[in-house]
Amino acid sequence: MMDYELWELPNGIRVVHRQVSNTKIAHCALMLDIGSRDEGPHQQGIAHFWEHMAFKGTQRRKAFHIINRLESLGGELNAYTTKEKICFYAAVLDNHLDKAVELLTDITFNSIFPDAQINKERQVILEEMSMYADSPEDAIQDQLDSLVFKDHQLGNNILGTQESVRSFRQTDFLDFVSENLDTERMVFSSVGNYSLKKLKKIVEKNLIQFERISCERKRKLVNGYMPQLDKKKKEITQAHIGIGCRAFDIYSDKKVPFFVLNNILGGHAMNSRLNLSLRENHGMVYNIESNFQAFTDTGLFSIFYATEPANLEKSLQLVQKEIKKLKEVELGSKQLQTAKNQIKGQMAMSEENNQNFMLMMAKSMLDHKRIEGLDTVFEKVDRVTRSQLRNLANECLNFDQMSVLKFLPL
């Protein structure tokens, strides 16, 4: 089920490709093992700002030409920044693959960060920050990070602060790139109905020209954790709640079982325990979810929902009740099998999306230097036991060790 092909350039950039049939679209990306956690105190938000500036001018192109290059062909060019990754990616008709690869290479390696464009994009990012601040569903997620990862870069907002965004100049971007860019921590990923031989020819033409780039960057390890409680008054009508704590990293043997446990408690499906309790049985929320995000040296477990202020305390009691059940009552055999079938189905459906799969391959190569097929992941899911889930609940889901953030109406 995992018919991918891997190839490494002399400069250390790895290329991973999966040939699929029944599509005319080529999906490709350059993913860098650089994110907001790699920023210094004076650099907050610069990784995300770099993502924006990559579209604003290179040694060969001005901003309009970058935007128009694939759009005029009916293609798409996009990017995103996370705590640990920056990714530039594209989708085009496969007969334009060469143009997509060339453009991704150009914006990744040849950006010049012109001062005039920095000043324009600075205002765009400040507007983006205001947009998220006006959305309590988004703002509470960012601010919960700052409680769970207090005094660490993982707790910083990916967008940065207004002060830091206003301060950046061209030299700041050039310094950040030189401090973090490493060709051995870069992956080119591709999915489409074309051979690796064809892709090699195009990639060699564009990426092999760059010499090996190395940096001595070392990520700051996570610090100690103490649960935090905070509440803020806002101009909102509902009370918004964020609950979170540290969890397992991407290399932990407990990662897959904890994904199963999280899915049972508050996954995206309507039959999660939190949804059945707070929405279906008590009508207190429109939406409630729990999430598990794994990083390279730690993880984050979180729960988010909104409710009427009068229901706030009752809703918290119901959340604690569902967590307590997982800790005290072992799942039945049928319940466990249902949970396994559900999460395997979700994984399989996600893999059917070629763009998602292409991005997953890039991230997996950066983090694990390999890609696990669905069969392998399914085997790990099938090995999860009832006692294992109960033990994990008792190990990680202790409400007195969770940070709680409340947004309350004025």
Side-chain angles (χ1 to χ4, degrees):
M1 293 183 70
M2 183 55 63
D3 51 342
Y4 71 91
E5 298 173 281
L6 182 64
W7 169 51
E8 184 172 322
L9 292 167
N11 54 23
I13 298 174
R14 283 162 289 168
V15 180
V16 59
H17 173 59
R18 187 189 194 190
Q19 185 169 354
V20 296
S21 58
N22 301 319
T23 182
K24 293 289 291 179
I25 304 300
H27 293 280
C28 54
L30 266 168
M31 187 176 288
L32 287 58
D33 194 32
I34 305 169
S36 61
R37 74 172 299 178
D38 302 308
E39 299 164 347
H42 62 291
Q43 296 175 321
Q44 287 187 41
I46 199 167
H48 170 258
F49 207 145
W50 171 17
E51 171 213 315
H52 278 237
M53 288 304 301
F55 295 77
K56 300 305 174 183
T58 69
Q59 296 168 11
R60 297 184 55 192
R61 293 180 172 92
K62 293 186 178 180
F64 171 78
H65 301 116
I66 293 172
I67 295 170
N68 197 51
R69 177 66 166 162
L70 300 185
E71 295 280 349
S72 62
L73 302 172
E76 296 178 353
L77 177 67
N78 213 331
Y80 65 82
T81 305
T82 68
K83 304 278 186 180
E84 297 187 327
K85 303 287 184 286
I86 295 176
C87 182
F88 305 108
Y89 61 102
V92 291
L93 287 169
D94 53 21
N95 57 315
H96 299 306
L97 174 64
D98 57 337
K99 297 180 178 64
V101 176
E102 189 275 330
L103 184 61
L104 289 173
T105 303
D106 194 28
I107 65 174
T108 302
F109 286 94
N110 300 324
S111 291
I112 58 174
F113 309 105
D115 288 323
Q117 291 290 347
I118 290 173
N119 291 329
K120 287 181 183 178
E121 204 61 25
R122 190 192 321 278
Q123 190 58 43
V124 171
I125 293 174
L126 291 172
E127 293 293 339
E128 184 180 3
M129 294 170 73
S130 297
M131 179 183 71
Y132 282 110
D134 285 345
S135 170
E137 295 88 350
D138 295 317
I140 199 166
Q141 295 187 36
D142 288 329
Q143 293 186 33
L144 182 67
D145 286 354
S146 68
L147 293 186
V148 177
F149 298 107
K150 190 175 182 180
D151 300 323
H152 189 275
Q153 291 97 321
L154 284 172
N156 293 342
N157 192 318
I158 290 173
L159 301 182
T161 67
Q162 288 209 4
E163 292 74 21
S164 63
V165 169
R166 293 182 189 278
S167 72
F168 296 140
R169 300 294 181 266
Q170 185 184 56
T171 54
D172 298 305
F173 292 98
L174 296 173
D175 289 344
F176 183 74
V177 172
S178 66
E179 290 165 4
N180 290 278
L181 195 64
D182 189 325
T183 49
E184 292 186 14
R185 294 204 292 263
M186 185 182 300
V187 168
F188 184 90
S189 181
S190 166
V191 172
N193 191 11
Y194 43 88
S195 66
L196 180 65
K197 181 179 179 181
K198 176 181 177 179
L199 180 66
K200 274 186 175 182
K201 185 176 180 181
I202 296 171
V203 168
E204 282 186 346
K205 180 181 176 183
N206 292 281
L207 283 172
I208 209 168
Q209 62 181 294
F210 299 100
E211 295 182 359
R212 185 180 295 265
I213 303 171
S214 301
C215 72
E216 299 299 322
R217 182 201 73 190
K218 289 186 178 180
R219 283 179 169 156
K220 179 183 175 183
L221 297 177
V222 288
N223 49 10
Y225 170 69
M226 290 289 290
Q228 306 288 317
L229 305 177
D230 196 10
K231 61 182 179 181
K232 300 180 184 297
K233 295 282 189 177
K234 290 182 173 287
E235 291 185 2
I236 51 180
T237 56
Q238 289 181 296
H240 290 257
I241 309 300
I243 304 166
C245 62
R246 302 274 178 94
F248 305 106
D249 62 56
I250 59 174
Y251 306 112
S252 172
D253 292 337
K254 299 174 182 177
K255 183 184 72 170
V256 171
F258 196 70
F259 267 119
V260 176
L261 183 67
N262 173 73
N263 211 51
I264 294 168
L265 178 63
H268 299 299
M270 295 291 286
N271 65 348
S272 75
R273 292 191 175 190
L274 289 177
N275 191 73
L276 289 175
S277 175
L278 275 79
R279 174 173 169 150
E280 300 301 325
N281 295 340
H282 292 89
M284 286 188 177
V285 301
Y286 175 72
N287 183 60
I288 181 169
E289 287 184 2
S290 65
N291 303 285
F292 168 42
Q293 184 176 6
F295 303 109
T296 51
D297 56 346
T298 187
L300 172 65
F301 169 78
S302 56
I303 300 171
F304 296 101
Y305 68 93
T307 189
E308 287 296 314
N311 294 329
L312 176 57
E313 294 308 316
K314 177 65 174 176
S315 68
L316 283 169
Q317 291 171 12
L318 291 172
V319 170
Q320 292 181 65
K321 182 180 179 180
E322 293 305 320
I323 290 174
K324 187 178 180 182
K325 283 182 186 176
L326 286 173
K327 296 171 69 174
E328 295 180 351
V329 182
E330 203 168 84
L331 269 69
S333 299
K334 187 175 180 180
Q335 288 176 315
L336 178 61
Q337 191 58 50
T338 298
K340 290 179 178 180
N341 291 339
Q342 185 174 49
I343 200 164
K344 288 193 289 186
Q346 292 170 352
M347 290 176 178
M349 284 189 282
S350 177
E351 185 174 305
E352 280 198 339
N353 182 303
N354 286 339
Q355 179 175 278
N356 287 349
F357 191 84
M358 178 271 297
L359 295 172
M360 179 281 292
M361 287 200 306
K363 185 176 186 302
S364 186
M365 287 304 305
L366 286 173
D367 290 338
H368 300 285
K369 298 183 180 180
R370 69 182 191 279
I371 300 166
E372 290 186 333
L374 271 182
D375 286 344
T376 303
V377 180
F378 284 1
E379 288 173 6
K380 291 182 179 181
V381 172
D382 286 332
R383 287 198 296 268
V384 174
T385 65
R386 293 178 292 166
S387 60
Q388 190 177 25
L389 292 179
R390 186 180 175 188
N391 291 337
L392 281 176
N394 280 282
E395 178 182 352
C396 199
L397 303 184
N398 298 304
F399 207 82
D400 59 350
Q401 288 298 307
M402 293 187 184
S403 297
V404 180
L405 175 60
K406 303 175 183 176
F407 284 179
L408 305 175
L410 289 173

